[in-house]
């Protein structure tokens, strides 16, 4: 049973910008309020008695505790690296020994001289936080100042990488809000995290992403249920045939010697439009040796780039640093450079390495399934509402 106990906290102090609001929501109503906590790890040669002494108990008290524990767990059986804690909860001392991932021994002080021992299931606590910040210096710097861990920042960048070029497009004043859930074990150790929803405002345009799980797995969708991941066009041209495939080595038809063919040749009539297979930015446009008229597009995810060679001409307006959209015509098939006939030589690179374009697995980026769209809408609405309510101007001004 999950109950909501809301704890609102506005971060304060010079280390965090004023715009940051952290909202913490404990998804477990009975999270005890720990007033103080000491931690001791079992070392080689340790006994429970020695550890309890380090935790501040007298020898006779430690003996009574070990005695009380006997019925449920013998404290002669402790292991190096495992943990004892002494906590004060509601004025009472509680000692835990963490037996394994599932169980812990709990010793509660009944009176000043008697202890009660019990075996407890260990549980996972989840905490949902919302962090909101605007970018003044750099995304990483401002996000870290706002209290976001590196892996949460990276995950958020991944979410929006298909729409925003994080290395080039960010501007001072861009802002983001991210709602994420961290899970902790009962020692307070973080065991996982996930982003539930996020919005990113880039140059005045608001992008949203909502985590949603379907039978296909977990994906992030925009508020309309469209997948945030994009997919590439299957091919950049309408071609008559593939005249040469990707090969690590082959006899070059013009040069005569054997060398690798790091792309695919699509035979097509001169003048056939060539389309960018995905959104991105032109990083090279110009004559490039045997490639002739050549364009390289770096795609928004920052990992992939595609190259288009032997063009007869470029489409109007193509130049370095120009953003192109998926399907946009960037040039026309030709045989410039070293080519025996009109074709498009097409390369696909992943982290700079040429891979076979015909073997690139384009994981389909499907929207939320029709049958689940109502459930998704409810969830998306709820998440966006929670985030909107943490507008610092409205609530914390
Ligand atoms: Zn080729």
């Amino acid at each position: 049973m999950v109950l909501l106990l809301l704890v609102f906290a506005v971060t304060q102090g010079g280390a965090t910008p004023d715009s940051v609001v952290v909202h913490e929501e404990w998804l477990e109503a009975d999270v005890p309020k720990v007033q103080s906590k000491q931690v001791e790890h079992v070392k080689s040669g340790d006994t429970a008695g020695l550890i309890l002494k380090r935790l501040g108990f007298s020898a006779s008290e430690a003996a009574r505790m070990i005695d009380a524990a006997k019925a449920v767990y013998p404290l002669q059986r402790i292991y190096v690296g495992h943990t004892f804690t002494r906590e004060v909860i509601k004025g009472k001392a509680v000692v835990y020994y963490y037996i394994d991932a599932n169980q812990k021994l709990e010793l509660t002080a009944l009176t000043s001289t008697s202890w009660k021992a019990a075996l407890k299931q260990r549980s996972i606590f989840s905490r949902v936080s919302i962090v909101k910040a605007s970018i003044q210096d750099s995304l990483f710097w401002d996000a870290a100042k706002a209290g976001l861990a590196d892996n949460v920042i990276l995950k958020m960048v991944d979410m929006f990488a298909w729409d925003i070029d994080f290395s080039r497009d960010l501007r001072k004043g861009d802002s983001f809000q991210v709602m994420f859930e961290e899970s902790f074990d009962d020692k307070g150790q973080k065991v996982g995290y996930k982003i539930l929803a996020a919005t990113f405002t880039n140059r005045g345009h608001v992008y949203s992403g909502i985590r949603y799980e379907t039978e296909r797995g977990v994906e992030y969708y925009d508020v309309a249920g469209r997948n945030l991941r994009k997919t590439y066009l299957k091919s950049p041209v309408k071609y008559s045939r593939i005249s040469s495939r990707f090969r690590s080595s082959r006899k070059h038809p013009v040069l005569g010697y054997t060398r690798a063919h790091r792309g695919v040749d699509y035979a097509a009539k001169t003048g056939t439009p060539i389309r960018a297979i995905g959104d991105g930015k032109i990083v090279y446009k110009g004559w490039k040796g045997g490639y002739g008229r050549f364009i390289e597009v770096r795609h928004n995810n920052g990992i992939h780039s595609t190259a288009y060679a032997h063009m007869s001409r470029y489409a109007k307006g193509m130049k370095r640093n120009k953003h192109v959209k998926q399907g946009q015509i960037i040039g026309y098939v030709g045989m410039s450079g070293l080519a025996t006939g009109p074709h498009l030589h097409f390369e696909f690179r992943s982290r700079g390495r040429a891979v076979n374009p015909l073997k690139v697995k384009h994981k389909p980026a499907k929207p939320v399934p029709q049958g689940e769209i109502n459930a998704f809408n409810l969830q998306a609405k709820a998440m966006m509402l929670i985030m909107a309510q943490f507008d610092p101007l409205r609530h914390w001004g």
Side-chain angles (χ1 to χ4, degrees):
M1 182 66 198
V2 173
L3 294 167
L4 297 181
L5 171 69
L6 300 180
V7 179
F8 302 133
V10 185
T11 59
Q12 293 164 339
T16 43
D18 294 341
S19 61
V20 175
V21 172
V22 178
H23 153 225
E24 295 184 342
E25 183 177 304
W26 289 88
L27 293 174
E28 199 95 30
D30 56 351
V31 177
K33 183 120 183 70
V34 178
Q35 289 155 302
S36 77
K37 183 168 176 171
Q38 287 165 265
V39 179
E40 279 293 333
H41 300 290
V42 180
K43 294 181 202 125
S44 172
D46 254 344
T47 64
L50 286 171
I51 296 164
L52 291 168
K53 194 178 166 200
R54 293 206 295 276
L55 285 171
F57 295 103
S58 69
S60 56
E61 204 163 8
R64 281 195 292 273
M65 292 162 78
I66 293 164
D67 200 47
K70 220 183 281 173
V72 294
Y73 188 86
L75 278 175
Q76 286 73 27
R77 224 166 62 206
I78 55 171
Y79 299 95
V80 171
H82 287 213
T83 309
F84 279 81
T85 60
R86 176 186 182 163
E87 295 172 12
V88 178
I89 299 167
K90 290 181 189 160
K92 273 191 171 173
V94 182
V95 170
Y96 290 108
Y97 171 66
Y98 294 87
I99 298 163
D100 55 33
N102 301 314
Q103 286 192 103
K104 60 182 175 183
L105 168 69
E106 182 189 73
L107 288 161
T108 318
L110 292 178
T111 66
S112 59
T113 55
S114 77
W115 290 80
K116 187 184 86 179
L119 282 184
K120 293 272 163 138
Q121 282 297 310
R122 294 181 59 181
S123 51
I124 299 287
F125 300 108
S126 296
R127 184 176 69 186
V128 175
S129 306
I130 294 178
V131 167
K132 181 172 184 158
S134 71
I135 296 168
Q136 300 305 323
D137 295 308
S138 77
L139 171 63
F140 271 83
W141 178 250
D142 290 299
K145 261 201 305 195
L148 272 194
D150 282 359
N151 49 10
V152 180
I153 304 171
L154 284 171
K155 184 76 198 168
M156 181 176 69
V157 166
D158 268 4
M159 273 174 72
F160 294 114
W162 292 91
D163 291 309
I164 302 167
D165 181 341
F166 280 92
S167 61
R168 310 275 176 97
D169 287 349
L170 296 191
R171 294 291 177 271
K172 192 175 169 170
D174 281 356
S175 60
F176 65 86
Q177 200 173 8
V178 54
M179 171 159 61
F180 59 99
E181 181 184 308
E182 295 162 288
S183 39
F184 301 86
D185 66 16
D186 51 0
K187 281 196 280 182
Q189 210 118 54
K190 196 194 279 193
V191 291
Y193 79 96
K194 56 194 175 202
I195 291 182
L196 302 177
T199 61
F200 202 105
T201 306
N202 176 231
R203 303 176 184 195
H205 189 286
V206 182
Y207 298 89
S208 309
I210 293 127
R211 182 184 199 274
Y212 189 72
E213 192 166 357
T214 68
E215 59 187 20
R216 297 195 303 259
V218 170
E219 298 261 20
Y220 288 91
Y221 302 92
D222 68 11
V223 284
R226 289 180 292 245
N227 202 314
L228 286 193
R229 266 186 323 110
K230 307 293 190 291
T231 190
Y232 295 115
L233 298 180
K234 283 228 170 66
S235 79
V237 278
K238 284 209 176 78
Y239 57 93
S240 55
R241 68 194 171 89
I242 290 172
S243 54
S244 179
R245 290 172 184 273
F246 185 90
R247 218 163 299 157
S248 43
S249 71
R250 68 154 188 172
K251 196 173 183 213
H252 193 275
V254 174
L255 298 172
Y257 56 81
T258 299
R259 71 174 201 188
H261 186 237
R262 301 192 190 283
V264 166
D265 291 346
Y266 294 102
K269 280 193 205 119
T270 296
T272 305
I274 299 166
R275 296 169 189 278
I277 65 161
D279 290 6
K281 182 178 271 184
I282 294 179
V283 291
Y284 187 99
K285 181 228 156 192
W287 192 275
K288 197 176 165 112
Y291 284 124
R293 288 186 193 88
F294 181 89
I295 282 182
E296 181 174 351
V297 174
R298 201 190 56 199
H299 295 289
N300 287 353
N301 64 7
I303 298 164
H304 299 147
S305 63
T306 48
Y308 310 78
H310 307 309
M311 294 179 180
S312 55
R313 61 190 173 94
Y314 304 109
K316 219 173 144 192
M318 292 301 123
K319 55 174 197 265
R320 195 165 170 264
N321 287 332
K322 182 187 166 63
H323 284 274
V324 291
K325 287 292 200 194
Q326 181 175 64
Q328 186 174 345
I329 296 171
I330 55 172
Y332 301 89
V333 170
M335 50 185 294
S336 57
L338 292 171
T340 51
H343 74 280
L344 169 69
H345 170 91
F346 173 67
E347 293 188 13
F348 188 102
R349 294 183 193 144
S350 181
R351 300 185 199 279
R353 221 183 103 248
V355 295
N356 185 348
L358 301 176
K359 290 244 172 92
V360 173
K361 290 266 185 292
H362 300 298
K363 192 179 166 196
K366 291 184 181 158
V368 173
Q370 217 25 257
E372 292 186 43
I373 197 74
N374 289 335
F376 170 80
N377 283 341
L378 279 176
Q379 183 176 321
K381 225 180 190 168
M383 284 183 171
M384 288 299 147
L385 192 67
I386 292 171
M387 297 230 287
Q389 281 170 347
F390 286 89
D391 186 339
L393 297 175
R394 275 168 52 200
H395 286 260
W396 308 102

